[in-house]
Amino acid sequence: MDDLAEKVAAGDRRALARAVTLVESTRPEHQEQALALLEALRKLDRQALRIGLSGTPGVGKSTFIEAFGMMLVEAGLRVAVLAVDPSSARSGGSILGDKTRMDRLSREKAAFIRPSPSSATLGGVAKRTREAVALCEAAGYDVVLIETVGVGQSETMVAQMCDLFILLLAPAGGDELQGVKRGIMEMADMILINKADGDLKATATRTVADYSGALRLLRKRPYDPEGFPKALAVSAVEGSGLEAAWSEMQALADWRKEQGHWDRTRAAQAAHWFEQEVRDGLLSRLTRDAEIKAQMRESAEAVARGEATATAAAQEMLKRLGQV
Ligand code: GDP
Protein backbone atom coordinates (compact mmCIF):
# COMPACT_ATOMS: atom_id res chain seq x y z
CA MET A 1 0.00 0.00 0.00
CA ASP A 2 2.80 2.42 0.85
CA ASP A 3 4.28 1.57 -2.50
CA LEU A 4 1.03 2.46 -4.29
CA ALA A 5 0.76 5.75 -2.38
CA GLU A 6 4.32 6.64 -3.33
CA LYS A 7 3.74 5.87 -6.98
CA VAL A 8 0.51 7.88 -7.06
CA ALA A 9 2.28 10.79 -5.37
CA ALA A 10 5.02 10.55 -7.99
CA GLY A 11 2.37 10.98 -10.69
CA ASP A 12 2.57 7.44 -12.07
CA ARG A 13 -0.54 7.10 -14.27
CA ARG A 14 -0.81 3.31 -14.02
CA ALA A 15 -0.63 3.52 -10.23
CA LEU A 16 -3.31 6.23 -10.30
CA ALA A 17 -5.55 4.01 -12.42
CA ARG A 18 -5.04 1.16 -9.95
CA ALA A 19 -5.78 3.47 -7.02
CA VAL A 20 -9.03 4.62 -8.65
CA THR A 21 -10.00 0.97 -9.18
CA LEU A 22 -9.33 0.39 -5.49
CA VAL A 23 -11.64 3.20 -4.36
CA GLU A 24 -14.28 1.94 -6.77
CA SER A 25 -14.20 -1.57 -5.35
CA THR A 26 -17.01 -2.54 -3.02
CA ARG A 27 -15.04 -5.36 -1.38
CA PRO A 28 -14.54 -4.57 2.32
CA GLU A 29 -10.76 -5.27 2.29
CA HIS A 30 -10.35 -2.98 -0.73
CA GLN A 31 -12.36 -0.27 0.97
CA GLU A 32 -10.09 -0.52 3.98
CA GLN A 33 -7.00 -0.23 1.77
CA ALA A 34 -8.57 2.68 -0.12
CA LEU A 35 -9.23 4.51 3.13
CA ALA A 36 -5.59 4.06 4.21
CA LEU A 37 -4.36 5.17 0.80
CA LEU A 38 -6.50 8.31 0.81
CA GLU A 39 -5.40 9.09 4.35
CA ALA A 40 -1.71 8.74 3.41
CA LEU A 41 -2.14 10.95 0.32
CA ARG A 42 -4.22 13.57 2.13
CA LYS A 43 -1.07 14.68 3.93
CA LEU A 44 0.40 15.90 0.65
CA ASP A 45 -2.29 18.60 0.67
CA ARG A 46 -2.20 19.09 -3.10
CA GLN A 47 -4.99 20.96 -4.83
CA ALA A 48 -6.10 21.00 -8.43
CA LEU A 49 -8.60 23.33 -10.02
CA ARG A 50 -11.75 21.21 -10.09
CA ILE A 51 -13.99 22.10 -12.99
CA GLY A 52 -17.44 20.56 -13.38
CA LEU A 53 -18.81 20.49 -16.91
CA SER A 54 -22.43 19.76 -17.60
CA GLY A 55 -24.55 19.65 -20.74
CA THR A 56 -27.11 17.51 -22.50
CA PRO A 57 -25.94 14.69 -24.80
CA GLY A 58 -24.85 16.05 -28.18
CA VAL A 59 -24.03 19.58 -26.96
CA GLY A 60 -20.33 18.84 -27.49
CA LYS A 61 -18.94 17.95 -24.06
CA SER A 62 -16.40 15.40 -25.22
CA THR A 63 -15.36 17.53 -28.21
CA PHE A 64 -14.96 20.48 -25.84
CA ILE A 65 -12.99 18.49 -23.25
CA GLU A 66 -10.70 17.13 -25.95
CA ALA A 67 -9.96 20.61 -27.35
CA PHE A 68 -9.86 22.37 -23.97
CA GLY A 69 -7.78 19.60 -22.42
CA MET A 70 -5.30 19.68 -25.32
CA MET A 71 -4.96 23.45 -24.92
CA LEU A 72 -4.16 23.03 -21.22
CA VAL A 73 -1.70 20.20 -21.89
CA GLU A 74 0.03 22.32 -24.53
CA ALA A 75 0.29 25.09 -21.92
CA GLY A 76 2.23 22.63 -19.75
CA LEU A 77 -0.57 21.62 -17.40
CA ARG A 78 -1.55 18.10 -16.35
CA VAL A 79 -5.22 17.34 -16.87
CA ALA A 80 -7.45 14.62 -15.46
CA VAL A 81 -10.92 13.90 -16.84
CA LEU A 82 -13.53 12.04 -14.80
CA ALA A 83 -17.12 11.37 -15.72
CA VAL A 84 -20.34 11.11 -13.79
CA ASP A 85 -23.14 9.49 -15.69
CA PRO A 86 -26.33 8.69 -13.79
CA SER A 87 -27.54 6.42 -16.58
CA SER A 88 -24.42 4.27 -16.27
CA ALA A 89 -25.27 3.87 -12.59
CA ARG A 90 -28.30 1.96 -13.81
CA SER A 91 -27.04 0.27 -16.97
CA GLY A 92 -23.43 -0.36 -16.03
CA GLY A 93 -22.27 1.42 -19.18
CA SER A 94 -20.20 4.58 -19.22
CA ILE A 95 -20.12 7.86 -21.08
CA LEU A 96 -16.38 7.78 -21.52
CA GLY A 97 -16.34 4.13 -22.44
CA ASP A 98 -16.37 4.85 -26.14
CA LYS A 99 -12.75 4.63 -27.25
CA THR A 100 -13.18 7.23 -29.98
CA ARG A 101 -14.01 9.97 -27.49
CA MET A 102 -11.09 12.26 -26.61
CA ASP A 103 -8.79 10.35 -28.85
CA ARG A 104 -5.96 12.90 -28.92
CA LEU A 105 -6.14 13.80 -25.27
CA SER A 106 -6.10 10.15 -24.18
CA ARG A 107 -2.75 9.72 -25.93
CA GLU A 108 -1.15 12.60 -24.03
CA LYS A 109 1.19 11.68 -21.18
CA ALA A 110 0.01 14.69 -19.20
CA ALA A 111 -3.62 13.56 -19.36
CA PHE A 112 -5.53 10.99 -17.35
CA ILE A 113 -9.00 9.96 -18.53
CA ARG A 114 -11.28 7.77 -16.50
CA PRO A 115 -14.75 6.57 -17.45
CA SER A 116 -17.58 6.87 -14.97
CA PRO A 117 -17.85 4.12 -12.40
CA SER A 118 -20.96 2.01 -12.55
CA SER A 119 -22.67 1.79 -9.23
CA ALA A 120 -26.13 1.13 -7.92
CA THR A 121 -26.70 4.51 -6.31
CA LEU A 122 -26.04 8.15 -6.99
CA GLY A 123 -24.54 8.33 -3.49
CA GLY A 124 -22.09 5.58 -4.41
CA VAL A 125 -21.11 7.37 -7.61
CA ALA A 126 -20.61 10.62 -5.68
CA LYS A 127 -18.32 8.98 -3.14
CA ARG A 128 -16.18 7.28 -5.75
CA THR A 129 -15.94 10.38 -7.90
CA ARG A 130 -14.88 12.51 -4.93
CA GLU A 131 -12.24 9.97 -4.02
CA ALA A 132 -11.02 9.77 -7.61
CA VAL A 133 -10.73 13.58 -7.59
CA ALA A 134 -8.68 13.40 -4.38
CA LEU A 135 -6.39 10.80 -5.97
CA CYS A 136 -5.89 12.95 -9.09
CA GLU A 137 -5.02 15.92 -6.88
CA ALA A 138 -2.52 13.81 -4.92
CA ALA A 139 -1.02 12.65 -8.23
CA GLY A 140 -0.25 16.27 -9.02
CA TYR A 141 -2.82 17.06 -11.69
CA ASP A 142 -3.34 20.78 -12.16
CA VAL A 143 -6.87 20.61 -13.51
CA VAL A 144 -9.52 17.96 -12.86
CA LEU A 145 -12.47 18.10 -15.24
CA ILE A 146 -15.61 16.31 -14.11
CA GLU A 147 -18.05 15.72 -16.92
CA THR A 148 -21.70 15.06 -16.29
CA VAL A 149 -24.79 14.67 -18.41
CA GLY A 150 -27.27 17.44 -17.82
CA VAL A 151 -29.91 15.57 -15.95
CA GLY A 152 -31.24 16.27 -12.49
CA GLN A 153 -29.35 15.36 -9.38
CA SER A 154 -26.03 14.52 -10.98
CA GLU A 155 -25.45 18.19 -11.76
CA THR A 156 -26.07 19.27 -8.19
CA MET A 157 -23.77 16.52 -7.03
CA VAL A 158 -20.95 17.52 -9.38
CA ALA A 159 -21.38 21.20 -8.51
CA GLN A 160 -20.91 20.23 -4.85
CA MET A 161 -17.47 18.78 -5.54
CA CYS A 162 -16.12 21.45 -7.89
CA ASP A 163 -14.46 24.83 -7.61
CA LEU A 164 -16.06 25.97 -10.86
CA PHE A 165 -19.21 24.69 -12.49
CA ILE A 166 -19.57 25.23 -16.22
CA LEU A 167 -22.73 24.74 -18.22
CA LEU A 168 -22.29 23.93 -21.90
CA LEU A 169 -25.23 24.87 -24.13
CA ALA A 170 -25.98 24.85 -27.83
CA PRO A 171 -26.99 27.93 -29.82
CA ALA A 172 -30.76 28.23 -29.66
CA GLY A 173 -33.66 30.62 -30.02
CA GLY A 174 -34.94 32.65 -27.08
CA ASP A 175 -37.78 30.21 -26.43
CA GLU A 176 -35.43 27.44 -25.52
CA LEU A 177 -33.80 29.56 -22.85
CA GLN A 178 -36.82 28.71 -20.74
CA GLY A 179 -35.82 25.06 -20.95
CA VAL A 180 -32.79 25.56 -18.71
CA LYS A 181 -33.93 25.24 -15.15
CA ARG A 182 -33.38 28.23 -12.92
CA GLY A 183 -31.60 26.06 -10.35
CA ILE A 184 -29.00 25.02 -12.90
CA MET A 185 -28.51 28.60 -14.06
CA GLU A 186 -27.90 29.56 -10.44
CA MET A 187 -25.30 26.85 -10.01
CA ALA A 188 -23.36 27.77 -13.14
CA ASP A 189 -20.24 29.90 -12.72
CA MET A 190 -20.01 30.24 -16.46
CA ILE A 191 -22.23 29.37 -19.40
CA LEU A 192 -20.45 28.43 -22.62
CA ILE A 193 -22.45 28.46 -25.82
CA ASN A 194 -20.72 25.85 -27.95
CA LYS A 195 -20.85 25.38 -31.74
CA ALA A 196 -20.33 29.11 -32.37
CA ASP A 197 -19.09 28.39 -35.88
CA GLY A 198 -20.37 28.20 -39.48
CA ASP A 199 -24.11 28.66 -39.86
CA LEU A 200 -24.64 28.63 -36.12
CA LYS A 201 -22.32 31.54 -35.36
CA ALA A 202 -24.95 34.30 -35.53
CA THR A 203 -27.43 32.28 -33.44
CA ALA A 204 -24.66 31.61 -30.91
CA THR A 205 -24.00 35.35 -30.55
CA ARG A 206 -27.70 35.97 -29.90
CA THR A 207 -27.82 33.07 -27.43
CA VAL A 208 -24.88 34.54 -25.53
CA ALA A 209 -26.75 37.84 -25.29
CA ASP A 210 -29.90 36.06 -24.10
CA TYR A 211 -28.07 34.19 -21.37
CA SER A 212 -25.99 37.18 -20.33
CA GLY A 213 -29.27 39.00 -19.79
CA ALA A 214 -30.77 36.08 -17.89
CA LEU A 215 -27.69 35.75 -15.68
CA ARG A 216 -27.78 39.45 -14.84
CA LEU A 217 -31.34 39.03 -13.63
CA LEU A 218 -30.26 36.39 -11.15
CA ARG A 219 -29.14 37.86 -7.88
CA LYS A 220 -25.41 38.58 -7.81
CA ARG A 221 -23.67 36.05 -5.63
CA PRO A 222 -21.28 37.14 -2.87
CA TYR A 223 -18.60 34.78 -4.13
CA ASP A 224 -18.57 36.31 -7.61
CA PRO A 225 -16.56 39.31 -8.74
CA GLU A 226 -18.13 42.03 -10.89
CA GLY A 227 -19.35 40.72 -14.23
CA PHE A 228 -19.79 37.08 -13.17
CA PRO A 229 -21.43 34.66 -13.86
CA LYS A 230 -20.65 35.08 -17.55
CA ALA A 231 -21.87 33.65 -20.83
CA LEU A 232 -19.31 33.20 -23.62
CA ALA A 233 -19.31 31.74 -27.12
CA VAL A 234 -16.93 28.90 -27.99
CA SER A 235 -16.39 26.44 -30.78
CA ALA A 236 -14.91 23.16 -29.62
CA VAL A 237 -14.44 22.11 -33.24
CA GLU A 238 -12.59 25.25 -34.31
CA GLY A 239 -10.99 25.81 -30.92
CA SER A 240 -12.19 29.40 -30.80
CA GLY A 241 -13.05 31.07 -27.51
CA LEU A 242 -11.27 28.40 -25.48
CA GLU A 243 -8.37 30.67 -24.43
CA ALA A 244 -10.84 33.36 -23.39
CA ALA A 245 -12.93 30.86 -21.43
CA TRP A 246 -9.80 29.56 -19.66
CA SER A 247 -8.61 33.02 -18.70
CA GLU A 248 -12.07 33.87 -17.30
CA MET A 249 -12.03 30.64 -15.29
CA GLN A 250 -8.62 31.52 -13.90
CA ALA A 251 -9.68 35.07 -13.11
CA LEU A 252 -12.69 33.77 -11.19
CA ALA A 253 -10.66 31.13 -9.33
CA ASP A 254 -7.95 33.66 -8.42
CA TRP A 255 -10.49 36.17 -7.16
CA ARG A 256 -12.20 33.57 -5.00
CA LYS A 257 -8.84 32.49 -3.58
CA GLU A 258 -7.92 36.06 -2.72
CA GLN A 259 -11.29 36.69 -1.09
CA GLY A 260 -11.21 33.47 0.93
CA HIS A 261 -14.28 32.08 -0.86
CA TRP A 262 -12.27 29.20 -2.30
CA ASP A 263 -11.31 27.72 1.08
CA ARG A 264 -14.71 28.45 2.59
CA THR A 265 -16.48 26.69 -0.27
CA ARG A 266 -14.21 23.66 -0.07
CA ALA A 267 -14.73 23.47 3.70
CA ALA A 268 -18.52 23.68 3.28
CA GLN A 269 -18.39 21.02 0.55
CA ALA A 270 -16.39 18.66 2.79
CA ALA A 271 -18.92 19.13 5.62
CA HIS A 272 -21.76 18.50 3.17
CA TRP A 273 -20.22 15.22 2.00
CA PHE A 274 -19.63 14.07 5.55
CA GLU A 275 -23.31 14.58 6.37
CA GLN A 276 -24.37 13.01 3.10
CA GLU A 277 -22.32 9.89 3.73
CA VAL A 278 -23.70 9.43 7.23
CA ARG A 279 -27.19 9.76 5.75
CA ASP A 280 -26.40 7.32 2.94
CA GLY A 281 -24.92 4.89 5.46
CA LEU A 282 -28.03 5.00 7.64
CA LEU A 283 -30.31 4.59 4.65
CA SER A 284 -28.33 1.68 3.28
CA ARG A 285 -28.89 -0.19 6.55
CA LEU A 286 -32.60 -0.18 5.74
CA THR A 287 -32.00 -2.02 2.50
CA ARG A 288 -28.95 -4.15 3.36
CA ASP A 289 -29.75 -5.67 6.72
CA ALA A 290 -32.15 -8.62 6.21
CA GLU A 291 -33.62 -8.38 9.70
CA ILE A 292 -34.29 -4.66 9.43
CA LYS A 293 -35.77 -5.17 5.96
CA ALA A 294 -38.17 -7.79 7.32
CA GLN A 295 -39.16 -5.54 10.23
CA MET A 296 -39.77 -2.65 7.83
CA ARG A 297 -42.00 -4.84 5.68
CA GLU A 298 -43.96 -6.16 8.66
CA SER A 299 -44.50 -2.68 10.07
CA ALA A 300 -45.55 -1.31 6.66
CA GLU A 301 -48.08 -4.13 6.33
CA ALA A 302 -49.39 -3.53 9.84
CA VAL A 303 -49.85 0.16 9.02
CA ALA A 304 -51.55 -0.74 5.73
CA ARG A 305 -53.97 -3.03 7.61
CA GLY A 306 -54.78 -0.16 9.95
CA GLU A 307 -53.29 -1.88 13.00
CA ALA A 308 -50.99 1.02 13.78
CA THR A 309 -50.66 4.64 12.69
CA ALA A 310 -47.78 5.53 10.38
CA THR A 311 -46.32 7.80 13.06
CA ALA A 312 -46.44 5.23 15.85
CA ALA A 313 -44.97 2.49 13.65
CA ALA A 314 -42.20 4.79 12.40
CA GLN A 315 -41.32 5.79 15.96
CA GLU A 316 -41.18 2.15 16.94
CA MET A 317 -38.94 1.34 13.96
CA LEU A 318 -36.58 4.23 14.72
CA LYS A 319 -36.32 3.07 18.32
CA ARG A 320 -35.38 -0.40 17.12
CA LEU A 321 -32.77 1.01 14.72
CA GLY A 322 -31.17 2.79 17.60
CA GLN A 323 -30.68 -0.56 19.32
CA VAL A 324 -29.15 -2.37 16.36
P1 GDP B 1 -21.50 15.19 -26.05
O1 GDP B 1 -22.55 14.14 -26.20
O2 GDP B 1 -21.99 16.36 -25.26
O3 GDP B 1 -20.21 14.65 -25.50
O4 GDP B 1 -21.22 15.76 -27.52
P2 GDP B 1 -20.06 15.40 -28.56
O5 GDP B 1 -18.79 16.03 -28.17
O6 GDP B 1 -20.07 13.94 -28.80
O7 GDP B 1 -20.57 16.18 -29.86
C1 GDP B 1 -21.83 15.93 -30.44
C2 GDP B 1 -21.82 16.40 -31.89
O8 GDP B 1 -21.65 17.81 -31.95
C3 GDP B 1 -20.67 15.79 -32.69
O9 GDP B 1 -21.14 15.48 -33.99
C4 GDP B 1 -19.65 16.91 -32.72
O10 GDP B 1 -18.84 16.85 -33.88
C5 GDP B 1 -20.53 18.15 -32.75
N1 GDP B 1 -19.84 19.31 -32.16
C6 GDP B 1 -19.19 19.34 -30.97
N2 GDP B 1 -18.64 20.56 -30.79
C7 GDP B 1 -18.94 21.30 -31.88
C8 GDP B 1 -18.62 22.64 -32.30
O11 GDP B 1 -17.95 23.41 -31.61
N3 GDP B 1 -19.14 23.03 -33.50
C9 GDP B 1 -19.87 22.22 -34.28
N4 GDP B 1 -20.31 22.70 -35.44
N5 GDP B 1 -20.17 20.95 -33.95
C10 GDP B 1 -19.71 20.49 -32.76
Side-chain angles (χ1 to χ4, degrees):
M1 186 47 57
D2 287 348
D3 185 43
L4 185 58
E6 261 171 42
K7 284 186 174 150
V8 169
D12 179 333
R13 271 200 305 180
R14 295 231 315 259
L16 175 59
R18 270 199 303 160
V20 175
T21 304
L22 196 63
V23 302
E24 285 177 0
S25 170
T26 48
R27 283 171 57 181
E29 71 267 30
H30 287 170
Q31 289 192 350
E32 220 169 276
Q33 288 168 3
L35 214 58
L37 176 69
L38 288 163
E39 191 53 36
L41 291 171
R42 194 171 71 90
K43 301 192 179 91
L44 294 172
D45 199 22
R46 290 183 183 155
Q47 282 192 347
L49 175 60
R50 306 173 185 169
I51 304 175
L53 184 79
S54 177
T56 48
V59 73
K61 291 181 298 300
S62 53
T63 313
F64 175 84
I65 292 174
E66 165 107 326
F68 188 72
M70 284 303 294
M71 181 191 78
L72 298 180
V73 164
E74 277 156 18
L77 298 171
R78 294 178 70 216
V79 181
V81 181
L82 306 171
V84 171
D85 179 5
S87 64
S88 79
R90 286 190 296 270
S91 69
S94 77
I95 46 173
L96 285 175
D98 183 349
K99 288 266 188 305
T100 60
R101 298 180 95 226
M102 303 173 204
D103 194 30
R104 279 167 66 214
L105 190 61
S106 64
R107 275 184 272 125
E108 286 294 328
K109 269 210 173 73
F112 176 79
I113 301 181
R114 184 78 179 192
S116 64
S118 47
S119 162
T121 64
L122 197 66
V125 173
K127 178 172 176 287
R128 290 163 196 201
T129 308
R130 274 189 301 110
E131 290 174 346
V133 169
L135 290 170
C136 292
E137 292 192 310
Y141 283 83
D142 301 294
V143 177
V144 179
L145 286 163
I146 308 170
E147 175 190 2
T148 186
V149 187
V151 274
Q153 287 176 302
S154 72
E155 283 178 319
T156 314
M157 179 184 103
V158 169
Q160 287 274 21
M161 58 177 81
C162 283
D163 303 310
L164 300 178
F165 188 71
I166 313 288
L167 185 59
L168 206 62
L169 295 174
D175 287 352
E176 284 165 71
L177 188 127
Q178 311 300 323
V180 179
K181 291 198 195 74
R182 191 191 161 97
I184 294 165
M185 293 268 288
E186 279 171 346
M187 275 191 304
D189 292 307
M190 199 179 291
I191 290 180
L192 298 179
I193 309 298
N194 190 33
K195 309 194 184 184
D197 50 49
D199 293 347
L200 290 170
K201 203 164 177 173
T203 317
T205 308
R206 270 202 309 278
T207 312
V208 168
D210 287 344
Y211 279 97
S212 297
L215 287 171
R216 263 196 303 276
L217 289 179
L218 293 176
R219 201 161 54 90
K220 189 172 155 355
R221 306 176 299 186
Y223 47 90
D224 277 343
E226 208 44 52
F228 281 90
K230 271 184 189 171
L232 300 172
V234 296
S235 165
V237 163
E238 289 184 349
S240 58
L242 300 183
E243 298 263 3
W246 174 232
S247 73
E248 295 287 6
M249 288 178 209
Q250 284 175 294
L252 184 54
D254 288 346
W255 186 87
R256 286 187 185 164
K257 276 182 185 164
E258 281 160 24
Q259 303 289 319
H261 295 304
W262 174 286
D263 286 337
R264 271 199 294 278
T265 303
R266 281 205 172 199
Q269 287 176 340
H272 163 81
W273 288 115
F274 158 72
E275 286 177 19
Q276 193 63 40
E277 272 198 45
V278 172
R279 262 190 219 119
D280 287 349
L282 285 176
L283 281 177
S284 82
R285 274 173 63 193
L286 293 181
T287 52
R288 235 185 18 222
D289 191 308
E291 200 180 320
I292 293 172
K293 254 166 82 175
Q295 285 175 358
M296 281 290 283
R297 202 170 41 240
E298 277 164 30
S299 296
E301 282 164 8
V303 172
R305 284 193 301 267
E307 290 164 15
T309 65
T311 306
Q315 294 261 338
E316 184 58 32
M317 192 67 220
L318 288 170
K319 249 186 241 159
R320 279 195 213 167
L321 282 173
Q323 286 159 9
V324 176

